[in-house]
Amino acid sequence: MIKRASVLLLLLGLGAVFASLLLDYVPSTELSLTATYYAERGAQETGATNLITAILVTYRGLDTLGEVTVLFLAAAIVGLVLSRGRQAGETGDAGGATAAPPAGELLSTGKDLLVPLILLLGVYVIANGHLTPGGGFQGGAILASAILLILLTDPMRRFSHRLIAALESVSGLVFVGMGVLGIFLAGGFLDNRILPLGTLGELFSAGAIPVIYAFVGLKVGAEFSSMLVNLSETRESRS
Amino acid sequence: MTNLTLAMSLLLALAMVAAAIVAVQRKSLPVAILAAGLVSLLASVQFLLLAAPDVAMTEAAIGSGLTTFLFFFVLARVRGGQDD
């Protein structure tokens, strides 16, 4: 009874806080100081038509590096936890892995049709990150969802862990390397002006942004794929 | 924001709340996972209506795509342990 009353009280308190926030909300009619700077100078300084990418990769590039690091840590911890479980499972019932039932006609045909298209969309989103909405993170997640579709169709399929790990570490190193190059050749860490800016709106423009984002995309895709592959493989050896 | 998009986002918000309640209340875990994925999917449409296509893409790919299946993989792994 007391528990229920305290939950109700907590909900009411939260409701009051959110209601006061909502009632006080006034949409701002003009951009803030930082937003004005980005809107006025962003396109000229970075050469990217998609301002969000320009902010993510250059102005706030360090934050992107941090996000990718967090994702890397998450993938590494998933791998660590699951590898321990996998060893225990293998010693428990060695050779007891049963073959998975074959995927249905619909799923396997759909996979054959969709996986190349999904991969193409992922590459497109990454390559056009500086021109249209999207970029490394989104494209990387799309690439990983193609891997997910393959795993759903054929759970016994094995992907090379070494290849995924190599892809992940090489793209991480290149990302940081491009950032350090920015210190020496341009204005600072992760400055994109180490390559010529080109004309605004073309595919090969915006300096180093497409290069950096391509490697961010590969890194994110490899990290998500390693998580999915680890989880899928552990399930197989267990059941 | 025009009236049409306002009505659409209100409808989406209501559907999101309904899906979230289903996700919390249902005893069946697969249904709950699917409902949680539905919340993300509707949220990504909501982001699109709020003129944030970048966030919408991330939400659709990670929130409703990968996370849902991540939950299913984990569910397949822990099943057989406890009932709940």
Side-chain angles (χ1 to χ4, degrees), chain A residues 52 82 134 138 148 231 234-235, chain B residues 53-54 57-58 69-70 76-77:
Chain A
I52 296 165
L82 288 181
Q138 292 88 341
L148 172 70
L231 275 166
T234 319
R235 186 186 56 165
Chain B
D54 294 76
M57 281 173 89
T58 317
F69 283 98
L70 216 59
R77 184 163 150 64

Side-chain angles (χ1 to χ4, degrees), chain B residues 10-45:
Chain B
L10 272 178
L11 211 64
L12 275 171
L14 282 178
M16 274 169 73
V17 171
I21 289 173
V22 168
V24 174
Q25 291 289 332
R26 275 302 171 95
K27 287 280 177 271
S28 154
L29 282 179
V31 175
I33 293 173
L34 284 178
L38 187 62
V39 175
S40 289
L41 197 64
L42 295 174
S44 75
V45 183

Side-chain angles (χ1 to χ4, degrees), chain A residues 73-188:
Chain A
L73 276 179
I77 290 170
V78 165
L80 181 74
V81 170
L82 288 181
S83 73
R84 191 174 299 164
R86 188 154 51 215
Q87 278 160 4
E90 273 166 5
T91 48
D93 47 359
T98 48
E105 185 70 35
L106 206 61
L107 190 57
S108 47
T109 314
K111 184 208 82 173
D112 289 344
L113 185 69
L114 284 178
V115 164
L117 291 178
I118 294 177
L119 286 176
L120 193 64
L121 176 69
V123 172
Y124 171 84
V125 167
I126 293 176
N128 285 286
H130 56 300
L131 303 176
T132 51
F137 275 95
Q138 292 88 341
I142 293 173
L143 289 184
S145 63
I147 305 283
L148 172 70
L149 197 55
I150 296 176
L151 274 176
L152 283 180
T153 322
D154 183 9
M156 301 306 284
R157 174 85 168 245
R158 289 291 167 264
F159 292 92
S160 164
H161 284 268
R162 188 167 294 185
L163 177 68
I164 294 179
L167 206 62
E168 205 273 328
S169 10
V170 167
S171 22
L173 279 176
V174 173
F175 181 25
V176 178
M178 299 286 286
V180 173
L181 271 183
I183 297 180
F184 293 114
L185 301 179

